[in-house]
Amino acid sequence: RHVSDSLYFDKMVSLVSQPAHELFLCAARRDGLLAIKIENGTHKMTGIHRSFGAHDITDVCRLNSPEFPLGAACLSRSHGIFVVPNALSNDRPIEVRDLGLKGTGYSLIAEKGHLFVLTDEHLVCMPNAVTRIAAHAALDPAIIMPIRASEMFLIGAYIVVLADGDAHFIEIADLV
């Protein structure tokens, strides 16, 4: 539920965690993507706030890429994917379009340069997507697997998908 007088965070991830400096990104639903900086124990909203029009941002993840140490991607319920190579810059996010995704966007993971998207109908693997998106290059064909799942997580070299009351471990190397 969107609350117009306050911010509503659906998910928060840490981009930087050092003793005197932390940076978090928040999927803030219709408020977009927000950055929260904590320095010496004092929190403050940075000037970075991105909204994505009518998109309802439900998930955010680090890009987990040495090329883009402050990079992130976010996912909307309508399966819009937006890549932000530097979360502290005011550069316009890169929108990934026309993937043919169906269903409601649930979860997004970036690992080893690949993006993984979970909707209520599919698990989608986008090989080498992080570098290609940042370079505005054409994407490799997506691998789309039908699945009815509610969530996915990254554990080591595995994507763990919660489906049918069970956890399914899928090795990333097997997907790409």
Side-chain angles (χ1 to χ4, degrees):
R1 183 173 70 113
H2 175 66
V3 181
S4 60
D5 296 328
S6 63
L7 299 174
Y8 177 80
F9 300 166
D10 206 40
K11 183 167 179 188
M12 180 182 285
V13 296
S14 173
L15 274 185
V16 176
S17 184
Q18 298 171 350
H21 174 73
E22 292 183 282
L23 175 63
F24 297 93
L25 289 181
C26 305
R29 303 296 304 249
R30 296 204 190 282
D31 291 314
L33 185 65
L34 305 172
I36 298 175
K37 249 182 169 175
I38 299 175
E39 295 197 37
N40 298 318
T42 305
H43 71 278
K44 64 179 179 177
M45 290 294 212
T46 68
I48 308 301
H49 170 236
R50 293 181 171 86
S51 83
F52 300 94
H55 286 278
D56 183 6
I57 303 300
T58 58
D59 200 8
V60 61
C61 69
R62 299 173 50 158
L63 289 183
N64 288 322
S65 169
E67 271 181 282
F68 308 105
L70 295 178
C74 57
L75 176 70
S76 74
R77 284 183 55 79
S78 58
H79 44 73
I81 300 169
F82 301 90
V83 174
V84 181
N86 182 346
L88 292 180
S89 80
N90 285 316
D91 294 341
R92 183 183 172 120
I94 302 163
E95 183 174 3
V96 180
R97 297 180 184 195
D98 303 324
L99 291 175
L101 300 180
K102 294 186 174 155
T104 301
Y106 282 169
S107 192
L108 179 67
I109 292 174
E111 182 63 17
K112 298 185 192 280
H114 314 297
L115 282 178
F116 302 91
V117 180
L118 181 69
T119 73
D120 61 341
E121 296 183 28
H122 298 104
L123 171 61
V124 179
C125 172
M126 300 166 56
N128 309 306
V130 171
T131 302
R132 298 185 72 71
I133 290 167
H136 300 280
L139 295 175
D140 293 332
I143 300 161
I144 301 174
M145 297 165 280
I147 190 168
R148 293 252 181 227
S150 58
E151 186 60 91
M152 73 174 169
F153 304 94
L154 177 66
I155 299 178
Y158 294 88
I159 297 291
V160 181
V161 179
L162 303 181
D164 304 320
D166 200 4
H168 302 273
F169 287 73
I170 305 168
E171 193 165 1
I172 291 172
D174 291 342
L175 293 172
V176 296

